[in-house]
mmCIF file of all heavy atoms in Angstrom:
data_model
loop_
_atom_site.group_PDB
_atom_site.id
_atom_site.type_symbol
_atom_site.label_atom_id
_atom_site.label_comp_id
_atom_site.label_asym_id
_atom_site.label_seq_id
_atom_site.Cartn_x
_atom_site.Cartn_y
_atom_site.Cartn_z
ATOM 1 N N PHE A 289 39.665 7.249 91.995
ATOM 2 C CA PHE A 289 39.483 6.746 93.360
ATOM 3 C C PHE A 289 40.066 5.338 93.506
ATOM 4 O O PHE A 289 40.754 5.043 94.482
ATOM 5 C CB PHE A 289 37.993 6.763 93.727
ATOM 6 C CG PHE A 289 37.438 8.148 93.899
ATOM 7 C CD1 PHE A 289 36.814 8.789 92.840
ATOM 8 C CD2 PHE A 289 37.542 8.813 95.096
ATOM 9 C CE1 PHE A 289 36.298 10.073 92.975
ATOM 10 C CE2 PHE A 289 37.028 10.094 95.260
ATOM 11 C CZ PHE A 289 36.411 10.738 94.190
ATOM 12 N N ASN A 427 31.919 10.808 99.144
ATOM 13 C CA ASN A 427 31.082 10.484 97.994
ATOM 14 C C ASN A 427 31.976 10.521 96.752
ATOM 15 O O ASN A 427 32.498 11.573 96.381
ATOM 16 C CB ASN A 427 29.944 11.498 97.871
ATOM 17 C CG ASN A 427 29.098 11.274 96.632
ATOM 18 O OD1 ASN A 427 29.199 10.230 95.966
ATOM 19 N ND2 ASN A 427 28.252 12.242 96.297
ATOM 20 N N THR A 428 32.159 9.394 96.109
ATOM 21 C CA THR A 428 33.060 9.324 94.952
ATOM 22 C C THR A 428 32.377 9.687 93.638
ATOM 23 O O THR A 428 33.012 9.633 92.580
ATOM 24 C CB THR A 428 33.658 7.912 94.835
ATOM 25 O OG1 THR A 428 32.611 6.980 94.541
ATOM 26 C CG2 THR A 428 34.361 7.510 96.123
ATOM 27 N N LEU A 429 31.121 10.059 93.696
ATOM 28 C CA LEU A 429 30.380 10.440 92.498
ATOM 29 C C LEU A 429 30.312 11.957 92.370
ATOM 30 O O LEU A 429 30.370 12.683 93.374
ATOM 31 C CB LEU A 429 28.965 9.868 92.534
ATOM 32 C CG LEU A 429 28.850 8.341 92.651
ATOM 33 C CD1 LEU A 429 27.382 7.933 92.701
ATOM 34 C CD2 LEU A 429 29.556 7.654 91.494
ATOM 35 N N ASP A 430 30.152 12.431 91.132
ATOM 36 C CA ASP A 430 30.069 13.869 90.902
ATOM 37 C C ASP A 430 28.643 14.385 90.983
ATOM 38 O O ASP A 430 28.346 15.487 90.497
ATOM 39 C CB ASP A 430 30.683 14.235 89.547
ATOM 40 C CG ASP A 430 29.960 13.570 88.376
ATOM 41 O OD1 ASP A 430 29.017 12.768 88.629
ATOM 42 O OD2 ASP A 430 30.322 13.842 87.218
ATOM 43 N N ARG A 431 27.772 13.617 91.617
ATOM 44 C CA ARG A 431 26.373 14.011 91.769
ATOM 45 C C ARG A 431 25.910 13.713 93.196
ATOM 46 O O ARG A 431 26.521 12.890 93.900
ATOM 47 C CB ARG A 431 25.498 13.241 90.779
ATOM 48 C CG ARG A 431 25.601 11.736 90.921
ATOM 49 C CD ARG A 431 24.624 11.011 90.017
ATOM 50 N NE ARG A 431 24.786 9.558 90.073
ATOM 51 C CZ ARG A 431 24.319 8.775 91.041
ATOM 52 N NH1 ARG A 431 23.658 9.316 92.057
ATOM 53 N NH2 ARG A 431 24.482 7.465 90.995
ATOM 54 N N PRO A 432 24.833 14.371 93.642
ATOM 55 C CA PRO A 432 24.328 14.130 94.992
ATOM 56 C C PRO A 432 23.814 12.702 95.146
ATOM 57 O O PRO A 432 23.358 12.077 94.180
ATOM 58 C CB PRO A 432 23.180 15.140 95.137
ATOM 59 C CG PRO A 432 23.451 16.181 94.116
ATOM 60 C CD PRO A 432 24.110 15.466 92.962
ATOM 61 N N ASP A 445 26.407 15.923 98.774
ATOM 62 C CA ASP A 445 26.640 16.548 97.483
ATOM 63 C C ASP A 445 27.694 15.759 96.701
ATOM 64 O O ASP A 445 28.415 14.915 97.263
ATOM 65 C CB ASP A 445 27.115 17.991 97.667
ATOM 66 C CG ASP A 445 26.042 18.894 98.234
ATOM 67 O OD1 ASP A 445 24.851 18.595 98.024
ATOM 68 O OD2 ASP A 445 26.398 19.884 98.893
ATOM 69 N N GLY A 446 27.786 16.046 95.416
ATOM 70 C CA GLY A 446 28.803 15.393 94.614
ATOM 71 C C GLY A 446 30.200 15.659 95.165
ATOM 72 O O GLY A 446 30.537 16.802 95.477
ATOM 73 N N TYR A 447 31.013 14.591 95.300
ATOM 74 C CA TYR A 447 32.378 14.652 95.820
ATOM 75 C C TYR A 447 32.460 15.213 97.243
ATOM 76 O O TYR A 447 33.524 15.683 97.677
ATOM 77 C CB TYR A 447 33.286 15.488 94.907
ATOM 78 C CG TYR A 447 33.513 14.905 93.538
ATOM 79 C CD1 TYR A 447 33.502 15.727 92.412
ATOM 80 C CD2 TYR A 447 33.752 13.542 93.362
ATOM 81 C CE1 TYR A 447 33.725 15.207 91.139
ATOM 82 C CE2 TYR A 447 33.967 13.012 92.098
ATOM 83 C CZ TYR A 447 33.953 13.845 90.989
ATOM 84 O OH TYR A 447 34.171 13.321 89.734
#
Side-chain angles (χ1 to χ4, degrees):
F289 290 94
N427 176 13
T428 65
L429 302 179
D430 61 357
R431 58 175 176 79
D445 292 333
Y447 295 138

